Amino acid sequence: MSLLEMSSATDGMSQDAWGRLNLACREQQVILDNAGAGIAFMRSRCIVRCNQRFVEIYGFGSTLKAVGCSTESLYPDHAAFLALGEEAYPVMQSGKPFKTEVQMRRKDGRLFWTHLTGTLVSPGDPEGGSIWIIDDIDEQKHARAQLETVLAEQNLVLANCMVGIVYLQDRTVTRCNESFEQTFGYATGELKGKSSRAWYQNDTDWLAAGHACYEPLNRGLTFVGEMLLCKKDGTPIHCDVRAKAIDPLQPAAGSIWIAMDITARKQAEAALLSAQADLEKQVELRTRELAETVYALERKAAEHEKSESRIQHMAHFDALTSLPNRVLLADRCTHALRVAQRNQQHVALMFLDLDNFKTINDSLGHKVGDEVLVEFAARLKSVVRDQDTVARLGGDEFILLLPETDAAGAAMVADKLLRATAPFFTVLTHELAVTPSIGVALFPEDGSDLDALSRCADAAMYQAKEGGRNGYRFFTPELQARSDRKLLLGNALRRALEQGELELHYQPQMSLITGATVGVEALLRWTHPTLGSISPAEFIPVAESTGLILPIGEWVIRTAAAQLADWLAHGVEPITMAVNLSAVQFRNPDLPKLVRRIIEDYRLPPHLIELELTEGAAMTDPASAVAVMNELHGLGIRVSIDDFGTDYSSLSFLRRFQVYKLKIDQSFTRDITIDADDKAIVGAIISMAKSLGLQTIAEGVETPGQMEYLREQGCTEMQGYYYSHPLGADQFEAFVSRPAPLQ
Ligand code: C2E
Ligand code: CA
Ligand code: CA
């Protein structure tokens, strides 16, 4: 109803009533125009009146355009229009306002949401029209729909999120997702309204977290950190925590926290760390073990190398003097000779031997002897050049190998050697004179290999010794012949025993007192099938140097003993059997045993066996010589000193060795009738022997004059061609059986 219609309907009203109505109508219009909602009065589903807001909502442009329009056009379609009518009128007719939210259509065709409230003007009369209040809630509706979508999405996220999310206000849970509850072991909904203290281990942690987290939150920053929290049952739980204030300007709006259980990761990390540490420890251990093993191996290798080189050294060097030994010498010699051959040069090989070393060693002991050798070696080395080799063969034997050295050079070196060894050797408290004898052989003249040269140098050295010692000799053709013969005899001698080429001759010994044959000396004879008869003076040294003297000597003692037993058995008056002993035999500790066995074998009275020994032989090793002498003496065997007067002798020696008889050397006997000196010497020997209670026998007596002199001097026995040459066994038997011719 328009105001015009109202004015016509109020015709006939009083002025006052009219005025009041008019005012009311104006007031109503103001209200309508200023109402926030659209208001329309409808009748028969047509717009009768409406306010400005209504016009705006539907887009009519003006109220005039709206009035009279069918309300159907306000609906999206005809069906909606009918549906609303069917729904609304029954409610309105019951006197209640009809309220609904429904979509309607604007003039431009756009649909929009409205909130409708419809009321019948007179509930009993639907034709009387209705009043509708329309709220345009399209925006609100959209916003709400959007909000709902957001919330739905949020809930979806919260519900399905794997991480725990909690909303806190004033550190109290307003909301949280299931994941958060599950993470911390709570039932659904259990945490709501609870303080966040619930998942801290203690108050201190909780307060500390409050300080640490809220400070960045209040500044609008995100807190990110790892925290050790705890579950409802107290189990510790490592969480990765992120938090942000919902609105930093309004702390009261709260904050959102995202917590992710990283315990497993932490444990894995810790396990990894410990595994890594373990691994590192293992590696370190292994490394150490390896290092130790390597060290041990290296040490082993070094030891091995050391012992190897020690073995090498031992194999090539003399232990005492550290000089090259025979093996190394052979090596160097081969090399030197090859070079000399190629370059047509000379090589000199020298043999050196200490003249009195045995005496030093025996009388002062091995320690002194060793020191002497060391010092001697040092002096040799000091004289020669670098390319020369000084080798020690053992004992007191040294060899010098001098490459590129001819006879003149060798002589020069030999002189130097003699000069170098001339000064006294001071060892411990002893001042010792040590002189060498030197033999020189030259390549290529004397030989083409070490063996040949050695033999030559050895022969030359032997010669030097014979020539008075402390000097040197070159090998000569004459020496060559001698050494050749030595070699020849050595080889032949080997077969002599088994071939029965050896024989004993017996030289009678006469008592100068009774003129009777009182003894006999067994003298060895060798008749070689082609070489003929060879003197013992020549072959005995060969036998000694080859060691053959031991079996030969044993054969001599046994044969002589057998012969004596035979003679005795044949009725020969008891006589002594004198057997010559070489130094080599005397050094053999088995000698007394051997002699005893032999005299036992032939049942001989021991005093009939006399062993002849030169002073030199006894002196090579006086200590053991005394022991052997004592043993022999104990057996009742007699010992005489052969060639007495030619060597060094002392009274104490004669006493210590319990000597029975002295054999005056034939060199003295020979000249006693013509040489006053020899006469005097022989006289002195005899009287000295007498004073010591020793027997004397003169050797080499060839003339009656000699015999007479000896008898005058009181010599007890004699032996020599004058009385008898050495005889064969049978001849001797005949000799002793005849009446004594010499008186
Ligand atoms: P020897 O022990 O001094 O022996 C004495 C040597 O003088 C013997 O020479 C003998 O034949 C010789 N002879 C004896 N009377 C006279 C004489 O009136 N005038 C001259 N000029 N000479 C006389 P033989 O038999 O040639 O022996 C030489 C050396 O050989 C011996 O010297 C001895 O040292 C050694 N010899 C001999 N037989 C043996 C033996 O069985 N064993 C050992 N180890 N050496 C022996
Ligand atoms: Ca003799
Ligand atoms: Ca003699």
Side-chain angles (χ1 to χ4, degrees):
M1 181 166 65
S2 71
L3 287 174
L4 280 173
E5 287 171 312
M6 275 174 59
S7 65
S8 61
T10 55
D11 281 348
M13 278 182 158
S14 69
Q15 197 67 33
D16 182 43
W18 170 253
R20 277 205 310 274
L21 176 65
N22 208 12
L23 184 68
C25 281
R26 268 207 305 275
E27 281 172 5
Q28 193 185 38
Q29 193 63 41
V30 170
I31 291 167
L32 283 176
D33 287 345
N34 292 291
I39 301 169
F41 176 64
M42 317 278 188
R43 192 185 293 137
S44 305
R45 308 208 76 171
C46 269
I47 301 167
V48 177
R49 268 176 78 195
C50 66
N51 68 353
Q52 187 55 35
R53 178 71 190 129
F54 182 89
V55 169
E56 282 165 16
I57 288 172
Y58 288 96
F60 280 103
S62 65
T63 44
L64 285 177
K65 284 184 182 163
V67 173
C69 285
S70 161
T71 57
E72 188 175 348
S73 68
L74 303 179
Y75 291 87
D77 49 36
H78 184 66
F81 166 70
L82 291 179
L84 187 104
E86 278 166 21
E87 201 185 338
Y89 279 92
V91 177
M92 293 191 293
Q93 277 175 347
S94 70
K96 288 178 198 160
F98 169 75
K99 291 184 182 189
T100 188
E101 273 179 18
V102 69
Q103 261 193 324
M104 305 205 79
R105 182 188 296 277
R106 297 191 209 274
K107 276 281 115 196
D108 58 10
R110 281 183 298 138
L111 296 179
F112 70 103
W113 282 94
T114 57
H115 185 269
L116 294 184
T117 308
T119 319
L120 286 180
V121 177
S122 335
D125 176 20
E127 296 303 317
S130 55
I131 293 172
W132 296 85
I133 299 169
I134 295 111
D135 275 319
D136 182 347
I137 58 163
D138 198 52
E139 266 177 43
Q140 194 188 337
K141 186 90 174 164
H142 275 296
R144 206 187 310 143
Q146 265 173 353
L147 182 65
E148 264 159 23
T149 313
V150 168
L151 282 176
E153 282 170 3
Q154 212 180 51
N155 282 335
L156 208 66
V157 169
L158 280 179
N160 293 291
C161 192
M162 297 298 284
V163 295
I165 298 171
V166 61
Y167 287 69
L168 296 178
Q169 266 175 15
D170 196 18
R171 307 203 77 176
T172 300
V173 178
T174 53
R175 226 175 129 197
C176 73
N177 68 354
E178 241 177 88
S179 192
F180 188 85
E181 290 160 337
Q182 279 166 7
T183 301
F184 288 92
Y186 291 93
T188 310
E190 194 182 347
L191 274 173
K192 189 148 189 198
K194 279 230 163 79
S195 161
S196 62
R197 167 69 183 82
W199 53 80
Y200 284 90
Q201 293 191 318
N202 48 50
D203 287 340
T204 318
D205 279 7
W206 183 57
L207 291 172
H211 285 299
C213 308
Y214 283 98
E215 194 273 326
L217 296 195
N218 294 340
R219 287 195 290 130
L221 301 175
T222 307
F223 167 82
V224 178
E226 280 181 14
M227 288 180 166
L228 183 61
L229 304 171
C230 70
K231 293 195 184 191
K232 187 183 177 187
D233 63 4
T235 316
I237 171 170
H238 277 283
C239 286
D240 180 289
V241 176
R242 277 142 210 273
K244 190 144 190 178
I246 292 169
D247 181 357
L249 298 175
Q250 298 181 61
S255 51
I256 302 175
W257 297 71
I258 299 173
M260 194 159 64
D261 180 0
I262 55 164
T263 309
R265 196 185 84 198
K266 275 278 178 203
Q267 281 167 351
E269 271 172 11
L272 193 70
L273 271 179
S274 100
Q276 228 158 25
D278 255 21
L279 192 72
E280 257 162 44
K281 222 188 279 171
Q282 292 270 333
V283 166
E284 197 188 298
L285 201 76
R286 287 276 173 282
T287 308
R288 207 166 43 224
E289 278 174 7
L290 200 70
E292 276 165 15
T293 311
V294 167
Y295 177 67
L297 269 177
E298 278 172 354
R299 215 173 40 198
K300 267 250 156 60
E303 265 169 28
H304 186 74
E305 215 166 89
K306 219 160 103 191
S307 61
E308 189 89 311
S309 76
R310 207 166 44 226
I311 288 167
Q312 277 294 318
H313 195 268
M314 271 163 66
H316 293 108
F317 292 89
D318 167 50
L320 177 65
T321 60
S322 292
L323 290 179
N325 62 12
R326 191 188 296 271
V327 177
L328 187 54
L329 172 76
D331 238 42
R332 295 206 181 154
C333 188
T334 310
H335 176 73
L337 294 182
R338 205 179 302 137
V339 173
Q341 177 99 50
R342 199 172 337 141
N343 302 340
Q344 303 205 315
Q345 289 164 333
H346 281 92
V347 174
L349 192 79
M350 285 188 184
F351 260 52
L352 269 95
D353 169 303
L354 277 62
D355 294 328
N356 48 351
F357 182 69
K358 280 220 154 60
T359 317
I360 291 172
N361 215 18
D362 293 341
S363 51
L364 301 177
H366 291 294
K367 217 170 151 199
V368 174
D370 284 354
E371 289 290 312
V372 167
L373 290 174
V374 170
E375 168 70 16
F376 186 76
R379 292 200 194 177
L380 294 188
K381 277 207 72 109
S382 73
V383 166
V384 300
R385 305 162 302 176
D386 280 350
Q387 69 258 45
D388 299 333
T389 298
V390 179
R392 179 175 174 232
L393 297 192
D396 58 343
E397 290 181 343
F398 295 85
I399 290 190
L400 270 68
L401 174 73
L402 313 170
E404 295 174 49
T405 306
D406 59 8
M412 212 174 70
V413 172
D415 277 329
K416 276 211 272 182
L417 289 173
L418 291 174
R419 273 203 303 278
T421 52
F424 278 116
F425 284 61
T426 309
V427 176
L428 300 176
T429 55
H430 308 282
E431 295 265 289
L432 303 165
V434 180
T435 56
S437 292
I438 306 170
V440 188
L442 290 172
F443 170 88
E445 294 88 334
D446 302 333
S448 57
D449 58 25
L450 179 60
D451 254 17
L453 290 169
S454 291
R455 267 199 308 277
C456 296
D458 191 27
M461 185 183 73
Y462 189 76
Q463 201 59 31
K465 272 208 189 304
E466 293 212 323
R469 309 182 160 193
N470 194 19
Y472 64 91
R473 283 291 156 84
F474 277 88
F475 184 72
T476 61
E478 181 209 332
L479 279 178
Q480 174 77 63
R482 233 194 266 187
S483 85
D484 285 352
R485 172 132 174 116
K486 244 179 153 175
L487 205 64
L488 180 76
L489 292 187
N491 290 331
L493 198 54
R494 249 172 261 281
R495 303 175 61 236
L497 246 188
E498 44 191 83
Q499 299 290 315
E501 294 166 12
L502 298 180
E503 198 190 349
L504 287 184
H505 278 197
Y506 304 91
Q507 187 173 35
Q509 298 171 329
M510 188 196 89
S511 162
L512 282 172
I513 299 157
T514 62
T517 303
V518 287
V520 66
E521 180 180 4
L523 293 162
L524 190 54
R525 296 289 173 262
W526 177 24
T527 313
H528 186 268
T530 55
L531 298 172
S533 125
I534 301 148
S535 161
E538 190 184 5
F539 75 79
I540 291 291
V542 174
E544 281 177 334
S545 68
T546 54
L548 284 167
I549 192 69
L550 288 177
I552 290 175
E554 182 178 341
W555 179 86
V556 170
I557 301 171
R558 188 169 286 281
T559 309
Q563 188 59 68
L564 180 62
D566 191 53
W567 285 331
L568 293 178
H570 281 80
V572 173
E573 287 295 310
I575 48 169
T576 56
M577 172 65 79
V579 178
N580 290 285
L581 268 193
S582 129
V584 179
Q585 280 174 283
F586 193 65
R587 274 204 295 273
N588 179 10
D590 288 339
L591 179 73
K593 232 185 290 168
L594 174 74
V595 175
R596 196 180 70 192
R597 206 168 49 235
I598 290 172
I599 54 176
E600 279 170 6
D601 283 351
Y602 297 102
R603 298 169 199 276
L604 290 172
H607 71 272
L608 294 186
I609 297 294
E610 192 178 293
L611 298 177
E612 290 190 10
L613 196 71
T614 58
E615 283 167 284
M619 284 307 284
T620 52
D621 187 356
S624 59
V626 169
V628 171
M629 284 290 197
N630 286 342
E631 266 193 83
L632 292 173
H633 193 75
L635 290 174
I637 307 281
R638 288 170 176 175
V639 174
S640 60
I641 298 302
D642 206 354
D643 305 339
F644 189 80
T646 56
D647 216 336
Y648 166 90
S649 40
S650 75
L651 294 180
S652 67
F653 161 80
L654 296 175
R655 281 213 195 88
R656 265 166 68 209
F657 283 3
Q658 312 194 50
V659 170
Y660 171 76
K661 195 191 271 180
L662 298 183
K663 292 192 83 175
I664 298 165
D665 189 67
Q666 32 182 295
S667 60
F668 299 112
T669 311
R670 195 182 305 132
D671 296 333
I672 41 173
T673 49
I674 44 171
D675 189 305
D677 280 350
D678 286 349
K679 212 175 194 167
I681 289 170
V682 170
I685 292 174
I686 294 167
S687 66
M688 179 201 72
K690 245 193 243 169
S691 69
L692 289 171
L694 301 179
Q695 303 285 305
T696 41
I697 180 167
E699 289 185 300
V701 179
E702 295 182 354
T703 64
Q706 290 165 340
M707 182 180 72
E708 273 319 306
Y709 178 75
L710 291 164
R711 188 181 273 151
E712 271 169 32
Q713 292 298 310
C715 181
T716 38
E717 290 163 27
M718 70 157 206
Q719 178 185 342
Y721 295 164
Y722 179 61
Y723 184 54
S724 170
H725 277 261
L727 306 168
D730 295 342
Q731 285 174 292
F732 177 79
E733 209 178 317
F735 179 82
V736 282
S737 306
R738 62 168 192 160
L742 293 171
Q743 283 299 326

